[in-house]
Amino acid sequence: MSEKLIDLHTHTKYSDGELSPYDLIKLAIGKNIGTIAITDHDTVSGIRSLDKNSKDIVDSGIHIINGIELSAKVNHGNMHILGYGIDINNKHLLEKINEIKYNNIEFFLMLIDILERYYGIRFASRDIDEVIDNSNNLGRVDIAKLCIRYKYVCSVKEAFSKYLNEAYEKVRDKNKNMNYEECINLILESGGIPVLAHPKSLKLDGADFLYLLRNMIKEGLLGMEVYHSSHSYYEMEYYLNIANKYDLLISGGTDFHGMSIKPDIELGTGCKNNIKIKSLSILNNLK
């Protein structure tokens, strides 16, 4: 077993992370990470911008995996599906990402409207336009940053707990995200491996979770993110047993965003060192 760490769930500033792809990789090298996947939300702009052949990256020997994290529309909880080893130049993938980008702008503006109508939170039009113009993939974190900028809250976490989680529920049914069947198919069409991200976020009990999981497997789901910063040791063991039972590939990662976004999550080691991954079965299927 390698002494190098593995982190297959990270985000850059091209979605809702803090660092550029290059700075993320430099941080990973400094933290003794040997294999990393960049899995920005609904975009591959970050991984496409990275020069994997730059001398310092090549000299470090770090293995960088192309990835994406797609948001799937569900009626309860949150569902994200990771795609690993995808062709980041796949025409259909890029067309769908572009469609998602415009859907996200529409949903972003819905949330802005909800914040004003229900909570009296107002932002100047020029600031809203600036965020839209400068973002590759709009999300609730962008609104959280506006809330901080306007001093409605002091942190991203506070923005979510105080306003954004509740605001999201008010317009959840208007979200135009793909369903999980479409997400899985898009990843497979792009030559990738579809993996259910942080299953805890589905907020389903045992029977309901297993029913959904079996249906996802029928649609082509190939793996599960067993190791994640939000999972307790008990939950990791629980998901590991389920993944093994259904012959799913095992994946894991920190879901690192950066200290200003998720200050309790460290690259490579998660929340309070709760994960230090050195082996994953999914890597046997990834070049």
Side-chain angles (χ1 to χ4, degrees), residues 3-18:
E3 289 305 309
K4 296 273 189 178
L5 297 174
I6 300 165
D7 195 337
L8 299 189
H9 194 156
T10 69
H11 296 275
T12 76
K13 67 178 185 180
Y14 282 84
S15 62
D16 57 348
E18 177 184 335

Side-chain angles (χ1 to χ4, degrees), residues 105-116:
I105 292 174
E106 184 179 335
F107 195 67
F108 173 85
L109 292 173
M110 282 185 199
L111 286 170
I112 292 286
D113 181 60
I114 289 293
L115 289 181
E116 181 171 346

Side-chain angles (χ1 to χ4, degrees), residues 194-263:
V195 171
L196 177 61
H198 40 66
K200 180 179 180 177
S201 70
L202 290 168
K203 298 181 180 178
L204 293 175
D205 64 23
D208 289 337
F209 172 66
L210 292 178
Y211 178 78
L212 173 63
L213 184 65
R214 285 193 291 268
N215 286 334
M216 295 182 75
I217 291 169
K218 288 176 184 176
E219 294 296 330
L221 185 76
L222 296 175
M224 184 189 296
E225 187 176 44
V226 168
Y227 306 107
H228 185 269
S229 297
S230 70
H231 293 170
S232 68
Y233 291 112
Y234 169 80
E235 288 164 339
M236 291 182 206
E237 189 67 24
Y238 171 70
Y239 292 125
L240 178 61
N241 289 334
I242 291 175
N244 286 331
K245 178 180 178 180
Y246 290 96
D247 295 320
L248 291 169
L249 297 170
I250 309 300
S251 187
T254 59
D255 207 351
F256 176 81
H257 285 67
M259 290 300 101
S260 67
I261 311 298
K262 293 186 177 182

Side-chain angles (χ1 to χ4, degrees), residues 72-85:
K73 187 172 184 176
V74 288
N75 296 322
H76 182 266
N78 292 291
M79 179 188 284
H80 292 160
I81 301 176
L82 293 154
Y84 293 114

Side-chain angles (χ1 to χ4, degrees), residues 22 50-59 64:
Y22 180 77
L50 183 67
D51 180 9
K52 295 180 184 179
N53 296 315
S54 65
K55 186 177 185 304
D56 47 355
I57 290 177
V58 171
D59 289 349
I64 303 169

Side-chain angles (χ1 to χ4, degrees), residues 157-209:
K157 184 176 182 178
E158 184 185 1
F160 272 81
S161 62
K162 207 168 182 180
Y163 304 114
L164 292 173
N165 289 334
E166 192 173 275
Y168 176 78
E169 292 301 327
K170 294 181 186 299
V171 289
R172 175 195 283 272
D173 61 335
K174 296 180 176 61
N175 195 322
K176 293 181 179 178
N177 282 346
M178 296 181 287
N179 57 37
Y180 69 76
E181 294 93 339
E182 292 173 301
C183 292
I184 290 170
N185 189 55
L186 181 61
I187 291 166
L188 291 171
E189 280 187 4
S190 306
I193 297 173
V195 171
L196 177 61
H198 40 66
K200 180 179 180 177
S201 70
L202 290 168
K203 298 181 180 178
L204 293 175
D205 64 23
D208 289 337
F209 172 66

